[in-house]
Structure formats: structure tokens, C-alpha cells
Amino acid sequence: MTSDTSSPHGTSPQSTSAHGPSAHGSAAHRPALAEALSAGAVVLDGGMSNQLESAGHDLSDQLWSARLLAERPEAITEAHLAYFEAGANVAITSSYQATFEGFAKRGIEREEAARLLALSVELAREAARQARDKGARQPLWVAASVGPYGAMLADGSEYRGRYGLTVNELERFHRPRLEVLAAAGPDVLALETVPDAEEAEALLRAVRGLGVPAWLSYSVAGDRTRAGQPLEEAFVLAAEADEVIAVGVNCCAPEDVEGAVATAARVTGKPVVVYPNSGEVWDAEARAWNGRSTFASEQVLAWRDSGARLIGGCCRVGPDAVASIARTLTAT
């Protein structure tokens, strides 16, 4: 849930014809993200919502930072830019909580909702262009965030799963916005904060045929999904999915990461993606974070050694922490 949180939280997309010259060099000169993962670790960004709040934006709304797509899009570009300047290679778009259904609750018609979804990718591209103009030299990619069904409900149910919907119903929910996001030309689709293996199955069906690679990232508690399924069983769903270039966990405690990385790598044989929260705990009733941060950049070396290749932070992990991650990974 790095891009956005409900707690205050065809043609190959790598080809020049997919979206033309980008802000981080033309696609013809930019390595595919999957290729980069085979060469070493890639740095993800941090929490979108906490970065926007630190800039003074009020996110007390069911759409959270997705609301700013319509009201303050330049603020989203600025948030992405802060992470690129901190050393991130990948910006995760502000579309986590952006859905046709969620926008409809705010009176936003379907055509406009589709424009806003596509805009989330364009804003991240613009941030990459600005970062390059300011001297960034690292490869830069854009991941289009696809949050779980529960994020649209804005009631914390993405941390529980088990919505009472079938796999087919969940697939029908996810496919339309996946089509819009894929058409906007991201480098990868981030299927993130997935609490339930059944929803993961639906998402893996929904990305078929879109022509854009994806990563699948569960929200976990210990060695199980938030819905209670063993991670070994949950990860195996992605093992044979050709579209999936990485699998792992996000929006979890840092302490849950290392074991999950080892399991994901062993079960799938794919590069692993990890971006936990700071370690603080969200109190939904008080609408506040409690506790202290347990996130330390030194932890990323153990994660990398266990198979993690996409490494960053989620809620409450900001540009300073991402900069520390980047320095740690490049120094060793």
C-alpha cells in the first residue's frame, strides 16, 4: 500500500511504441524491470499518503490520496519526485484506492474516473521527467497500483479479506480498472496489499492478456495472509503465472518480512518484492498511529540475501528512509 492507503494508509510496455520516450530515457534505452531484477536489487518508493500529509494535505476522505488526482494532481507529482530524489527507482502510483465504484460514490462519472486512473500513471511519469531534469541518473520505472477490493470499501477490510464475494465476482471488479491502467503504459502493475489468496487468484486472472507485467504482494500477519491462509499456499498461486515478475509482501510489520521473503523465493523461484510499514500500528477507531518505528535500513541486506529484489517501504516510511535503503543497497 505504498502508493495509497485506506489506513492513513498487445505491444510490450517496454517498447518505444507503448508510450514513447519517457521521462527516464526512451523505452528503447531503458531496461525492462524484469531484466533489472535479474541483475540486482531495485529500490521502491515509500508511503504516498504520509508524504502528502507531511506536505500539509488533508486526506480525511474515503478516497484518501486518490482524491488529489482530481483536486491537486501536482501534489502527487511532488510526492513522487521526493522519492525519486531520495534514490527510488520505482514510483508506485496513487491509484491504490482509485476505483470506478469509489469514484462513483463521490459523483464522478465513469469516463472521468477512467481519466483519473490514467492520470495517476502520467503524474508518476512527469515526476520521473522532473527527476531526470534535476540530475537523477538511476533507472526510473512506474508501477500502477492496484489495491484490493477492501480498499474501495474504506473500512479496513483489506486487512481481513473474506469479503463474501466469489473469485469470479472479484475478477469482474478488478478487470476494468486494470484495463485502464494497463492502457496508460506503466512499466508494471502492482497488485498490492492483497489480504486473501482468493483475491490473489482473481487478480491473477484479471491481468491475463493485458500485455503488462505485474507483481503480487500480500498483506500478512506472521506467516499467514491477513485472511489466515499459510503463505506457502498463497505464494504458490503466482509460481506459474507468466505475467508475474515478482511476488512478496507489503503493508506489514518489518519483523514479518524476512520469513516471508524466504518462503516466496522458495515456493515461486521468482524475485521477491518487499515494502513493509514503519512498524507503527494504525488505530482505526482513533484514526491515529501508535507505537514506534521498527523499520531499519540495515534490515534490507538480510531481505536481499534471502531473495528480495524490489525493496522499499509502505505506510509511514518516507523519503529519508528510502534514501537510507538506497545507500545501504548500493554500498554493498
Side-chain angles (χ1 to χ4, degrees):
M1 201 159 52
T2 300
S3 303
D4 208 358
T5 65
S6 69
S7 67
H9 117 96
T11 299
S12 166
Q14 310 302 337
S15 69
T16 304
S17 60
H19 39 68
S22 77
H24 47 283
S26 72
H29 294 92
R30 183 178 71 253
L33 181 56
E35 295 171 6
L37 297 182
S38 67
V42 172
V43 180
L44 297 176
D45 61 8
M48 170 63 73
S49 59
N50 53 263
Q51 181 61 16
L52 290 169
E53 287 178 328
S54 70
H57 300 288
D58 179 11
L59 303 184
S60 57
D61 183 281
Q62 286 195 346
L63 289 175
W64 291 98
S65 51
R67 175 174 58 83
L68 297 186
L69 286 169
E71 297 179 6
R72 290 292 303 277
E74 70 280 1
I76 293 172
T77 300
E78 291 167 3
H80 287 313
L81 180 59
Y83 285 116
F84 280 143
E85 291 184 323
N89 300 109
V90 181
I92 304 177
T93 65
S94 55
S95 51
Y96 173 84
Q97 208 146 344
T99 64
F100 289 109
E101 293 81 358
F103 282 132
K105 292 178 183 178
R106 294 290 301 274
I108 297 174
E109 299 293 336
R110 196 170 185 85
E111 183 176 352
E112 175 64 4
R115 186 190 71 81
L116 294 174
L117 281 163
L119 179 63
S120 71
V121 176
E122 296 168 15
L123 295 174
R125 290 276 182 224
E126 170 60 17
R129 184 193 66 76
Q130 293 182 22
R132 183 63 66 206
D133 287 347
K134 291 186 175 186
R137 292 293 175 263
Q138 75 271 28
L140 305 178
W141 291 279
V142 171
S145 173
V146 181
Y149 177 83
M152 180 271 295
L153 300 177
D155 62 0
S157 60
E158 75 261 46
Y159 295 113
R160 298 187 298 270
R162 303 298 193 187
Y163 314 115
L165 301 179
T166 67
V167 172
N168 287 340
E169 288 171 329
L170 289 168
E171 180 185 359
R172 287 195 293 272
F173 167 79
H174 285 296
R175 178 72 185 198
R177 67 173 172 150
L178 278 164
E179 290 175 343
V180 171
L181 289 169
D187 297 290
V188 63
L189 296 163
L191 315 178
E192 58 176 355
T193 326
V194 180
D196 193 319
E198 291 183 0
E199 185 162 24
E201 182 181 352
L203 283 161
L204 292 173
R205 289 186 191 177
V207 298
R208 289 175 188 163
L210 293 178
V212 180
W215 78 59
L216 174 66
S217 180
Y218 287 98
S219 176
V220 303
D223 62 355
R224 292 178 175 265
T225 68
R226 291 283 185 166
Q229 299 119 337
L231 284 183
E232 185 159 335
E233 295 177 9
F235 287 141
V236 78
L237 293 172
E240 301 302 322
D242 292 339
E243 294 84 359
V244 175
I245 61 172
V247 61
V249 296
N250 78 290
C251 207
C252 59
E255 295 77 16
D256 289 337
V257 170
E258 191 168 351
V261 172
T263 301
R266 174 175 53 82
V267 169
T268 69
K270 295 177 183 284
V272 180
V273 53
V274 294
Y275 47 119
N277 296 335
S278 67
E280 297 162 89
V281 178
W282 173 247
D283 184 331
E285 184 173 339
R287 300 187 68 78
W289 290 95
N290 295 320
R292 62 182 183 85
S293 173
T294 59
F295 188 100
S297 60
E298 295 81 7
Q299 296 168 311
V300 305
L301 297 178
W303 303 343
R304 183 194 61 188
D305 292 345
S306 296
R309 293 296 177 267
L310 278 162
I311 303 174
C314 200
C315 301
R316 307 284 283 183
V317 177
D320 288 347
V322 169
S324 184
I325 291 170
R327 288 193 299 269
T328 299
L329 291 174
T330 56
T332 58

